[in-house]
């Protein structure tokens, strides 16, 4: 059968789920391959700036918030309460949300005493201690980016601490250099300090976009 409209008369291209990717000065760290993989998996990737935009891109069905320095911009991020509410509503709807390090802090209840998105029951604060190093991890349970038992490698680089550092359903179980649980899985949210490179696990993008398409 040829490439005509899908059932219901809507072209397949029109059904590409919109995945919003945070950028701007507060969220500067990401891998270009992540966007490429999301696009290849069928998503329409749209960037936005949490410091300037008062809402998520129209039609957002999934959200990626990577690394950066939100602690530098905590007052501005907190003041953008319209966007914080939109992020919380998306997360509570069950849509997939992937947050790493800076994204983890943004989803927390507070950062240095300033309200953040409140998606996670955790509070973050700056410290003088640098946490830095490579990690080997295993997915503790199924999530928007990994199935239980999937292995991943990544790194941590931050001067913040999160209390608690893991939720009832952790994102990862670290196996090297130490054994501990890390991060949060809640509805469609996968949030952790661990930076991973999706080019090493391309199924993460496929899994994320498939879930966004159902959102």
């Amino acid at each position: 059968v040829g490439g005509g409209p899908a059932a219901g008369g809507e072209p397949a291209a029109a059904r590409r789920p919109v995945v919003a990717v945070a950028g701007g000065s507060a969220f500067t760290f990401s891998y270009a391959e992540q966007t490429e993989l999301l696009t290849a998996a069928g998503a329409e990737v749209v960037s936005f700036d949490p410091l300037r935009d008062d809402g998520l891109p129209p039609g957002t069905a999934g959200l990626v918030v990577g690394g950066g320095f939100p602690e530098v911009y905590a007052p501005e991020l907190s003041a953008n309460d319209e966007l914080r509410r939109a992020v919380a509503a998306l997360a509570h709807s069950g849509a997939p949300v992937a947050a790493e390090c800076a994204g983890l802090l943004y989803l927390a209840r507070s950062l240095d005493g300033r309200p953040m998105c409140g998606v996670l029951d955790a509070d973050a604060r700056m410290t003088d201690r640098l946490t830095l190093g490579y990690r080997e991890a295993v997915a503790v349970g199924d999530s928007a980016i990994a199935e239980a038992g999937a292995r991943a490698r990544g790194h941590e680089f931050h001067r913040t601490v999160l209390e608690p550092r893991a939720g009832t359903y952790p994102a990862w179980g670290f196996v090297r250099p130490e054994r501990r649980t890390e991060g949060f899985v809640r509805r469609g949210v996968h949030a952790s300090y661990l930076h991973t490179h999706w080019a090493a696990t391309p199924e993460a993008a496929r899994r994320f976009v498939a879930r966004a398409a159902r959102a």
Side-chain angles (χ1 to χ4, degrees):
V1 180
E10 184 181 25
R15 304 196 325 272
R16 293 172 69 88
V18 174
V19 173
V21 177
S25 299
F27 299 98
T28 55
F29 179 79
S30 64
Y31 295 110
E33 290 86 351
Q34 187 178 52
T35 296
E36 295 168 1
L37 287 164
L38 287 167
T39 301
E44 178 186 351
V45 180
V46 181
S47 62
F48 73 105
D49 185 348
L51 292 176
R52 298 179 181 276
D53 296 322
D54 58 8
L56 293 168
T60 294
L63 172 64
V64 176
V65 190
F69 300 95
E71 61 273 13
V72 177
Y73 299 95
E76 294 89 341
L77 291 171
S78 185
N80 192 349
D81 55 353
E82 288 188 46
L83 180 59
R84 290 193 291 108
R85 287 196 297 269
V87 170
L90 183 74
H92 292 150
S93 77
V97 178
E100 291 185 350
C101 200
L104 169 72
L105 306 182
Y106 186 53
L107 295 187
R109 189 164 42 215
S110 68
L111 173 56
D112 285 337
R114 297 182 182 275
M116 291 290 122
C117 294
V119 174
L120 307 175
D121 294 326
D123 299 284
R125 58 181 173 81
M126 279 291 293
T127 71
D128 294 329
R129 179 176 179 269
L130 174 63
T131 298
L132 172 66
Y134 292 105
R135 310 285 186 254
E136 292 187 21
V138 176
V140 175
D142 291 336
S143 74
I145 68 168
E147 63 180 2
R151 304 186 73 87
R153 292 182 177 180
H155 74 273
E156 283 188 274
F157 182 88
H158 57 90
R159 292 185 181 274
T160 56
V161 295
L162 194 69
E163 297 173 350
R165 69 183 181 187
T168 303
Y169 302 99
W172 303 108
F174 284 176
V175 295
R176 291 182 183 175
E178 62 178 323
R179 290 186 175 272
R180 60 179 172 89
T181 55
E182 154 68 28
F184 299 76
V185 171
R186 184 175 184 182
R187 297 188 180 92
V189 174
H190 184 282
S192 169
Y193 270 122
L194 188 67
H195 288 289
T196 61
H197 200 310
W198 285 16
T201 56
E203 62 272 15
R206 294 192 292 267
R207 189 178 181 92
F208 189 91
V209 173
R211 187 154 184 169
R214 301 193 300 268

